[in-house]
Amino acid sequence: MDLILCHQTADFDVLGAAVGLAKLHPGSRIVLTGGSHPTVRQFLALHRNEFPLIELRSVNSDKIRSLYIVDNQQGDRLGKAADWLTLPHVQQIAIYDHHLNSPRDIEANILELEAVGASTTLIVEKLQRTDISLSMVEASVMALGIHVDTGSLTFTQTTVRDVKALAWLMEQGANLRLIGEYADPGFPPPLQFLFAEAMHNLRKEMVRGYWLGSVLLTTESFVPGLSHLTERLLSLTECDALLLGHVYDKGKDKTKSSGEQEKTGASNNNQRFSFIGRTRIPDTDLTQLLEPYGGGGHAQAAAVNLRDIEPTEVMADIYQGLQRQIPKPLLARDFMSSPVRTIRPHTTIEQAQRILFRYGHSGLTVVNQEEKLVGIISRRDLDLALHHGFSHAPVKGYMTRNVKTIDPDTPLPRIEAIMVADDVGRLPVMAGDTLVGIVTRTDVLRQLLQDKQEQSERFGDRLATSLPKFGQGNLLELLKTQLPAATWQLLTTAACHAQARGWHLYLVGGAVRDLWLRHSQGAKKHQNITFQDIDLVVDGFHTKADVGAGVELAQALQGDYPGARLSVHGEFQTAALLWHKDPQLDSLWVDIATARTEFYPYPAANPEVEASSIRQDLYRRDFTINALSIRLTNPSPGKLLDFFGGMNDLQSQQVRVLHANSFIEDPTRIYRAVRFVVRLGFDLEPQTETYIRYAIASGVYERWRLTEHPTPALTTRLKAELSIILKAPYWKGALTLLADLDALKCLHPELKLTEQLWWQVRCLSRWLRWLDPERQLEHWLLRLGILLGALPPQERIKIATGLQLPKTMIDGLANLETMETAIAKSLGCQQCPRPSVIYQTLKGYDRANLFLVAARGHKVLRKQIWFYFSQLCHVSPFLTGHDLKALGYKPGPQFKQILTDLLNACLDGQLGDRQQEEAWLNAHYPLPKKV
């Protein structure tokens, strides 16, 4: 006999999972080991015969073969059925549960614990992999299990797997009317009375920005359905956490009055105490609080039944424990945007609109000459004024003057409440009369989303598998293990300097991305990932640090590391510390920048830069996977900042751009996108690919190339990207992807990677691999030269000059056809030119240019140049000029000719050793006979 055991207080989740298991194991029977929730009992009163239920007393324990336990891992929750766990003839015990943190005392052969919202989901997923079909009632009870345990998919422990399981059950015929009837059945009369009493006696308290509620109810006997009552109270009272205690008598002592029984308290052996807790507060865990009492459940929903205790003491103990768990809420100062973009009251509507466009804001604060806040104007206000033709009117006529403000220590929950109650989209942050920052609705939503992602990690959602299960600060531990010890010490030192000045310091960009890649996918797969380039960003808005904060920090670090070379770029408020072959840090490059925002005044221009906050600094970056940051300083060192879904894109292995116009503003980002796609083995996110193709097809690069303006994006930055791509071992994949995207048009509208050109590039690379293994030539530069060589001479010279290529390369590209004609004329006029002719013809040409000529030339010419590089260049006579002098030849005009003719004879194979060379000299250039 195979039995499926439900715990003693059966809810819809355990019943739904049991029904599903019974379908997976035909012939098995379901045992309700104790009581059940009122709604479950009502459901079974009508539908009991639909399921293979068997009463506990009807089980012949001698015939038990297998035990399947759902939604439970503790023997004492099985009542008398727990005795079956130790029967010697039981062949298998299996557990299916979704309470990861629940204590377990049952030894099982099969243990399936998954972080999903309901145990039923685990069983549904097994059913989906079979051909088993469900009846309407079976599908409905399983759907009820998921609905009830996930709050109809609203509880934070809900996962995508629960949603998919519920959708499948709907396809199987789950009845919505039936689900609605039992998922929210309303209150029966006993609960209606208790609900009124609970609302009257509920105690609420604000703790660290969250509302805590607690209530202790007393009845003469047990009242079922209190978990439903707790859920309703939590919703209606708008508490963030609610603790409900229920004191009752298991068997009322008729010899005592109710007043006498209340006085006896815990001394009454019949007194029982049930506790039910619900919390929506991040980082709180009710199972942890109830563990000492033997309770269990979820982190956000847990319960325990006790006896022989003092209820008020237990309630107070759990309440105080919950208070200690509540994290300190984020304050306005922790996530406000600063410095604040302000305008004067006399600024025109048109000017304000341009400022909004430039910085991507949705509103602006208005201050007077004394820098005192006098109003706020939103994009909506400006649009309305422009619509009515008042573009030249001052903003003071349209701004909101009665401005709601907050101070830097206002907690996030309070900020959220103000925005909702007053319907405001931005709140200036005031330190006294000074405007120090602003919090927008977007700031709040982003922070709430990040909190949601962090909760998902705790409940085993998708992101939890991507990052290690670290709390705050443990990302620092990951950094410590992944980085070389000396580099980690450098970061620690930098953080100490920043913190001493009241600044925040962040590790940003590629280092954070590569840290995740190495940890999640293994260093072996990404062994080409090193941490030799590290970017740090200083955010000093808390202390009104000026734009030179990054430079100041770099200078302080150089004091600790005098061996580092300091380079300062004042225009962009950045500094770099460089080590070269340092005994500890090797060749390390650390960029330190002040958090900044940027604006491109026109396409392909250098950006205009202004100091700003870390949020704005990350917002200006190119791709989501490069807009990640780890805080290195207090508060919350080790906190991951991911405002744009970079972690999700890393998990999905895709490169996604942050801004729709990103590629129009800077074409080098196209090349960066391709570089990351090929280097990391990622895909180009479809919308990002659309943006790239649109930017190229728009012709913006060609129009800009033909104007009189300088084009720095097509020179310095583009040259750097081309250098990285064409040097990399993945250059072939990158070049083919660039060609597929038509991105070579960023260099020239007529440049295409034709089959012939692609063959030439690969031919050149093969030659370089064999003939220049020590890389005396710049291989990337020659690959670029072949590409440019496909363009008309004047165009290729213009591009090469714009990219600031070496003069020898520019001259070679300019004279490419001339060289090809001259070489072909010299060697082609002879049927089979002697080796000496080949050598003398080619020796005067630059080596790099000959590689270009060979790759572009016909087969015979390539063969001759290959012969020149592989053999002829390595031929030299045994006799040198010193030998000629020793033999009696006098230096003079004829001396050079003798050496040239001697070399030619060796090249043509006429001479093979020193003796033959001396004989050749005597025959062709005899010395005068002595008289």
Side-chain angles (χ1 to χ4, degrees):
M1 178 184 294
D2 297 331
L3 298 180
I4 301 166
L5 304 184
C6 303
H7 52 70
Q8 284 186 296
T9 310
D11 56 17
F12 274 115
D13 186 28
V14 70
L15 181 61
V19 169
L21 269 177
K23 298 291 291 185
L24 287 168
H25 300 282
S28 59
R29 308 295 292 274
I30 301 172
V31 180
L32 301 179
T33 61
S36 58
H37 284 208
T39 49
V40 174
R41 191 163 56 248
Q42 294 167 17
F43 181 86
L44 288 176
L46 293 175
H47 303 288
R48 175 179 294 272
N49 293 336
E50 304 280 346
F51 314 123
L53 291 165
I54 184 173
E55 293 190 17
L56 185 144
R57 61 186 178 181
S58 301
V59 173
N60 184 344
S61 60
D62 293 334
K63 295 184 179 181
I64 298 176
R65 181 177 58 183
S66 299
L67 295 174
Y68 301 98
I69 302 166
V70 287
D71 204 42
N72 173 40
Q73 302 172 53
Q74 296 172 274
D76 59 4
R77 296 189 69 197
L78 297 176
K80 293 180 180 179
D83 296 337
W84 301 340
L85 298 171
T86 56
L87 293 175
H89 56 272
V90 172
Q91 300 174 11
Q92 178 177 274
I93 297 176
I95 293 177
Y96 304 93
D97 194 11
H98 69 130
H99 301 95
L100 297 189
N101 299 319
S102 176
R104 177 167 57 89
D105 56 20
I106 299 175
E107 293 295 327
N109 308 97
I110 298 174
L111 181 63
E112 292 196 20
L113 301 179
E114 297 280 350
V116 291
S119 293
T120 304
T121 297
L122 301 177
I123 310 305
V124 169
E125 290 176 338
K126 292 181 177 296
L127 287 168
Q128 286 178 285
R129 294 191 286 269
T130 69
D131 295 327
I132 298 173
S133 60
L134 305 177
S135 69
M136 180 274 289
V137 176
E138 290 167 341
S140 298
V141 71
M142 297 177 75
L144 273 167
I146 297 176
H147 267 285
V148 171
D149 247 38
T150 64
S152 292
L153 306 180
T154 62
F155 292 168
T156 53
Q157 65 263 29
T158 305
T159 68
V160 174
R161 294 168 64 181
D162 300 295
V163 178
K164 291 180 178 179
L166 192 55
W168 183 79
L169 290 170
M170 297 298 296
E171 293 174 353
Q172 291 290 307
N175 187 290
L176 286 177
R177 183 194 61 78
L178 194 63
I179 294 170
E181 179 181 351
Y182 289 98
D184 188 9
F187 287 148
L191 282 183
Q192 292 176 15
F193 171 77
L194 278 183
F195 175 72
E197 184 179 344
M199 289 293 289
H200 179 73
N201 295 321
L202 184 74
R203 182 167 63 94
K204 286 180 66 175
E205 180 184 10
M206 175 73 78
V207 179
R208 295 179 181 171
Y210 297 98
W211 283 108
L212 267 62
S214 64
V215 62
L216 182 63
L217 302 174
T218 303
T219 62
E220 292 185 351
S221 58
F222 176 72
V223 178
L226 288 181
S227 60
H228 182 45
L229 174 65
T230 307
E231 295 284 356
R232 187 65 63 89
L233 284 171
L234 184 69
S235 174
L236 293 178
T237 59
E238 297 183 350
C239 285
D240 298 293
L242 182 69
L243 309 181
L244 184 144
H246 177 216
V247 181
Y248 64 94
D249 281 355
K250 183 178 182 182
K252 183 176 173 60
D253 188 346
K254 302 294 184 181
T255 64
K256 296 182 180 180
S257 66
S258 61
E260 289 175 325
Q261 291 185 40
E262 287 181 15
K263 290 178 183 178
T264 59
S267 63
N268 182 356
N269 291 333
N270 289 326
Q271 189 181 71
R272 299 290 186 266
F273 174 65
S274 292
F275 172 86
I276 300 171
R278 298 289 186 269
T279 178
R280 298 169 179 167
I281 303 173
D283 297 321
T284 55
D285 187 344
L286 290 173
T287 56
Q288 188 180 85
L289 297 176
L290 298 188
E291 187 176 355
Y293 298 103
H298 304 289
Q300 293 190 303
V304 66
N305 294 313
L306 301 170
R307 62 181 178 180
D308 299 331
I309 50 90
E310 175 54 49
T312 55
E313 291 180 2
V314 174
M315 285 286 290
D317 180 57
I318 298 173
Y319 187 86
Q320 291 167 8
L322 182 61
Q323 283 183 312
R324 289 191 294 270
Q325 282 188 344
I326 296 175
K328 292 181 180 179
L330 276 178
L331 305 179
R333 68 170 69 252
D334 296 323
F335 65 99
M336 68 186 185
S337 297
S338 178
V340 185
R341 197 73 54 198
T342 61
I343 56 174
R344 302 293 188 199
H346 58 264
T347 304
T348 67
I349 296 293
E350 185 178 22
Q351 290 171 333
Q353 184 79 353
R354 284 204 300 268
I355 293 172
L356 281 187
F357 172 77
R358 172 169 182 160
Y359 296 105
H361 295 342
S362 59
L364 293 168
T365 53
V366 186
V367 297
N368 59 21
Q369 295 293 333
E370 291 76 35
E371 300 296 329
K372 304 300 181 186
L373 180 68
V374 295
I376 279 185
I377 190 162
S378 68
R379 184 185 300 277
R380 189 166 41 188
D381 300 328
L382 294 173
D383 289 342
L384 184 64
L386 288 170
H387 175 73
H388 291 292
F390 294 107
S391 60
H392 297 292
V395 297
K396 64 182 180 181
Y398 293 86
M399 68 185 185
T400 300
R401 297 176 182 272
N402 185 21
V403 181
K404 199 83 174 176
T405 64
I406 55 177
D407 62 61
D409 294 320
T410 305
L412 175 59
R414 176 62 181 155
I415 295 171
E416 184 184 3
I418 293 172
M419 286 186 167
V420 172
D422 296 291
D423 191 25
V424 293
R426 57 198 59 80
L427 292 169
V429 183
M430 307 294 295
D433 292 334
T434 304
L435 177 66
V436 295
I438 192 164
V439 173
T440 67
R441 185 181 286 115
T442 301
D443 293 330
V444 171
L445 290 174
R446 281 176 178 160
Q447 194 58 55
L448 292 175
L449 176 61
Q450 187 164 332
D451 289 344
K452 169 66 176 175
Q453 289 175 334
E454 290 172 357
Q455 291 179 38
S456 297
E457 291 180 42
R458 290 193 296 276
F459 292 112
D461 209 355
R462 197 169 69 130
L463 188 58
T465 60
S466 66
L467 277 175
K469 294 180 179 178
F470 291 139
Q472 271 190 358
N474 286 321
L475 276 176
L476 293 183
E477 190 64 28
L478 179 61
L479 274 174
K480 186 176 180 180
T481 58
Q482 292 287 334
L483 293 176
T487 306
W488 166 248
Q489 182 57 49
L490 173 69
L491 293 185
T492 304
T493 304
C496 290
H497 279 300
Q499 200 153 298
R501 291 164 171 77
W503 302 338
H504 293 326
L505 183 65
Y506 297 88
L507 176 70
V508 300
V512 182
R513 175 198 69 227
D514 294 345
L515 175 73
W516 180 87
L517 287 172
R518 284 178 64 92
H519 176 81
S520 65
Q521 300 179 14
K524 186 175 181 180
K525 180 175 180 180
H526 291 282
Q527 56 187 332
N528 60 328
I529 292 176
T530 61
F531 296 100
Q532 294 301 302
D533 296 309
I534 290 178
D535 290 331
L536 300 176
V537 169
V538 180
D539 184 350
F541 71 82
H542 289 80
T543 53
K544 297 184 179 179
D546 60 25
V547 296
V551 176
E552 181 180 336
L553 179 60
Q555 291 169 338
L557 270 177
Q558 193 188 32
D560 297 313
Y561 294 89
R565 180 165 64 89
L566 176 64
S567 174
V568 176
H569 196 320
E571 181 183 357
F572 298 119
Q573 301 118 36
T574 63
L577 289 171
L578 296 86
W579 288 262
H580 182 64
K581 295 184 178 179
D582 184 84
Q584 291 184 313
L585 294 168
D586 196 17
S587 296
L588 178 66
W589 181 302
V590 178
D591 268 313
I592 306 177
T594 307
R596 61 199 193 272
T597 186
E598 60 188 24
F599 175 75
Y600 288 82
Y602 50 81
N606 272 327
E608 297 178 2
V609 175
E610 298 176 3
S612 188
S613 65
I614 183 63
R615 191 182 301 267
Q616 291 294 321
D617 190 274
L618 294 175
Y619 181 72
R620 72 180 178 81
R621 293 174 184 267
D622 47 13
F623 308 109
T624 59
I625 60 174
N626 294 335
L628 298 165
S629 175
I630 297 175
R631 183 181 286 170
L632 301 177
T633 50
N634 291 324
S636 307
K639 183 180 179 65
L640 174 71
L641 274 62
D642 178 14
F643 302 118
F644 314 108
M647 288 306 306
N648 284 335
D649 287 331
L650 277 176
Q651 270 213 316
S652 302
Q653 297 192 346
Q654 64 178 3
V655 174
R656 177 165 59 91
V657 75
L658 257 69
H659 315 292
N661 293 323
S662 189
F663 302 117
I664 288 179
E665 291 178 337
D666 186 353
T668 62
R669 286 176 174 159
I670 297 175
Y671 286 70
R672 284 173 61 80
V674 166
R675 172 155 61 90
F676 290 126
V677 164
V678 180
R679 173 196 158 197
L680 302 177
F682 283 15
D683 294 321
L684 196 58
E685 187 260 339
Q687 185 62 61
T688 299
E689 181 176 341
T690 300
Y691 291 146
I692 290 175
R693 293 189 183 279
Y694 173 79
I696 294 170
S698 70
V700 62
Y701 305 141
E702 174 60 10
R703 289 197 301 273
W704 196 251
R705 196 175 65 86
L706 297 175
T707 63
E708 297 299 324
H709 299 283
T711 54
L714 295 180
T715 55
T716 307
R717 297 202 300 273
L718 190 52
K719 177 186 176 182
E721 283 302 321
L722 287 166
S723 171
I724 295 172
I725 287 175
L726 295 175
K727 280 179 182 176
Y730 51 79
W731 69 267
K732 289 183 182 178
L735 197 53
T736 52
L737 181 53
L738 284 171
D740 177 67
L741 294 169
D742 254 356
L744 296 178
K745 285 185 176 179
C746 296
L747 288 168
H748 192 278
E750 296 178 13
L751 186 55
K752 290 182 178 294
L753 193 64
T754 62
E755 287 188 17
Q756 180 184 15
L757 182 57
W758 181 226
W759 186 92
Q760 291 175 1
V761 177
R762 286 178 293 144
C763 174
L764 171 72
S765 297
R766 287 194 298 270
W767 277 47
L768 290 170
R769 186 170 65 250
W770 287 100
L771 299 176
D772 188 35
E774 296 180 356
R775 293 184 173 269
Q776 296 176 346
L777 300 173
E778 292 194 78
H779 293 193
W780 79 270
L781 202 55
L782 289 173
R783 293 187 183 112
L784 178 58
I786 280 289
L787 294 174
L788 297 182
L791 297 173
Q794 287 302 110
E795 296 299 313
R796 72 173 79 124
I797 295 169
K798 188 186 299 184
I799 294 174
T801 303
L803 291 173
Q804 300 176 358
L805 301 186
K807 187 176 184 305
T808 53
M809 174 60 72
I810 296 175
D811 292 343
L813 290 172
N815 299 316
L816 200 52
E817 282 80 6
T818 304
M819 285 189 294
E820 290 170 340
T821 302
I823 293 172
K825 185 177 180 180
S826 297
L827 299 180
C829 61
Q830 302 182 38
Q831 189 69 23
C832 292
R834 294 193 310 276
S836 59
V837 174
I838 296 174
Y839 179 87
Q840 296 300 337
T841 300
L842 300 180
K843 73 172 185 177
Y845 292 100
D846 179 78
R847 190 166 177 242
N849 290 335
L850 282 179
F851 274 100
L852 296 181
V853 171
R856 288 162 48 94
H858 53 76
K859 184 176 181 179
V860 174
L861 180 60
R862 280 199 306 277
K863 186 176 180 180
Q864 293 167 342
I865 297 178
W866 177 272
F867 184 40
Y868 169 74
F869 278 132
S870 62
Q871 296 186 40
L872 301 184
C873 285
H874 305 293
V875 174
S876 60
F878 287 96
L879 298 177
T880 65
H882 294 292
D883 294 324
L884 293 184
K885 291 180 184 178
L887 290 171
Y889 292 90
K890 294 182 180 180
Q894 192 182 30
F895 203 78
K896 182 178 179 182
Q897 186 62 47
I898 294 173
L899 289 174
T900 299
D901 292 345
L902 179 62
L903 174 60
N904 288 339
C906 292
L907 289 168
D908 293 336
Q910 298 174 11
L911 307 175
D913 55 32
R914 184 185 183 94
Q915 187 176 1
Q916 290 179 355
E917 290 180 9
E918 290 180 356
W920 181 89
L921 278 174
N922 289 329
H924 292 83
Y925 292 96
L927 288 169
K929 294 182 179 181
K930 295 180 181 179
V931 178

